[in-house]
Amino acid sequence: MVAAIFHSPIEAAAAPVPPAAAPAPAKSAPVESAPAPTPAPRRPPRDWRGLWMAVLPPIFGLALLVLVWQGIASTTGSGIPKPAETWAQAVKVFSDPFYSNGPNDQGIGWNILSSLKRVGIGFGLAALVGIPAGFAIGRSVFLSRMFNPLISLLRPVSPLAWLPIGLLVFKGANPAAIWTIFICSIWPMIINTAVGVQRVPQDYLNVARVLNLSEWKVFTKILFPAVLPYLLTGVRLAVGTAWLVIVAAEMLTGGVGIGFWVWDEWNNLNVSSIIIAIFVIGGVGLLLEAALIRLASLFTYEEVKA
């Protein structure tokens, strides 16, 4: 027999329902921690050693000069004024550097400006002639062999030996002094420019010849950039020589100028003013040299040394 078991619907409803499986808890997103603040970059320590090396040596050098000067003035009977006396005279001289009491009695400021004017005119004329002549001599073998003996013959002549020629030709002291500046300034520019042109690599000129470049293109694109360091060296040498010569030329020609001022103070036996003039001449020359070094550093990639 087959027995069938029937369940009542009431019992089925009363039967406990198994609990549904609880959902798994959702994973929470990882909390990102805030980035640690980056420390401010530490300022590198100041290089005091470089500062001291730049400042102290010149101060020590000037102090040594003053000590030697003081010793010579104190121990010898040469009549050289002491540094304190010269300083007092310098304060008096520079208290009114631009006074004018006539053509032969003017302040030191006017004398410096007059000398700089003569140097500027003579140097400018020398640059207008010397730099193109240097390029021409450097480019042409014929011109180089033609002018090299003349330059070797005339360059060693003292610039003051040309002063009587200037007085004879120009019949005046001022143009004669300018002529002397011109003739002593032209040689460094001619020689340095010509040497710079001759040292241009031949490969550069061969490329220019292959490209059939004009002479103007060769000059502006190849020669001038390559020769510029040599040219600026010649300019610096010429300016230094010109400022050196103008003092001696003005002593002989007279008029207004730092050289004439030195000679006039010597005639007045004012040695303190002569020493002041020596420092002024050296200071102006130092400023001219620094200005040309700055100019050279703007136009060339090479390191320019004093």
Side-chain angles (χ1 to χ4, degrees), residues 262-285:
V262 171
W263 192 249
D264 188 56
E265 294 299 315
W266 166 249
N267 291 330
N268 295 328
L269 298 179
N270 195 347
V271 183
S272 297
S273 295
I274 297 176
I275 297 177
I276 293 169
I278 291 173
F279 281 101
V280 169
I281 293 168
V284 173

Side-chain angles (χ1 to χ4, degrees), residues 17-23:
V17 179

Side-chain angles (χ1 to χ4, degrees), residues 206-290:
N206 292 338
V207 171
R209 191 176 296 111
V210 169
L211 297 176
N212 198 22
L213 297 181
S214 63
E215 190 67 21
W216 176 250
K217 285 287 187 181
V218 172
F219 172 77
T220 56
K221 301 298 183 181
I222 298 177
L223 290 182
F224 186 75
V227 177
L228 190 57
Y230 296 90
L231 190 153
L232 292 174
T233 300
V235 168
R236 288 173 56 192
L237 294 175
V239 167
T241 304
W243 184 244
L244 178 71
V245 170
I246 191 60
V247 177
E250 289 174 345
M251 284 184 179
L252 299 177
T253 58
V256 181
I258 190 64
F260 170 75
W261 191 78
V262 171
W263 192 249
D264 188 56
E265 294 299 315
W266 166 249
N267 291 330
N268 295 328
L269 298 179
N270 195 347
V271 183
S272 297
S273 295
I274 297 176
I275 297 177
I276 293 169
I278 291 173
F279 281 101
V280 169
I281 293 168
V284 173
L286 182 64
L287 291 177
L288 291 175
E289 180 76 8

Side-chain angles (χ1 to χ4, degrees), residues 156-231:
V157 177
S158 172
L160 294 181
W162 296 97
L163 184 60
I165 305 297
L167 291 172
L168 176 66
V169 173
F170 299 106
K171 310 297 182 183
N174 190 55
I178 294 175
W179 154 256
T180 306
I181 296 301
F182 168 83
I183 202 66
C184 76
S185 302
I186 194 171
W187 308 124
M189 287 187 278
I190 290 178
I191 294 173
N192 281 272
T193 304
V195 169
V197 173
Q198 293 170 354
R199 291 189 178 182
V200 173
Q202 188 61 36
D203 293 342
Y204 295 174
L205 302 178
N206 292 338
V207 171
R209 191 176 296 111
V210 169
L211 297 176
N212 198 22
L213 297 181
S214 63
E215 190 67 21
W216 176 250
K217 285 287 187 181
V218 172
F219 172 77
T220 56
K221 301 298 183 181
I222 298 177
L223 290 182
F224 186 75
V227 177
L228 190 57
Y230 296 90
L231 190 153

Side-chain angles (χ1 to χ4, degrees), residues 69-70 72-74 76-83 85-86 271-272 275:
W69 178 8
Q70 178 70 29
I72 294 175
S74 301
T76 63
S78 58
I80 297 177
K82 297 179 181 179
E85 300 172 3
T86 305
V271 183
S272 297
I275 297 177

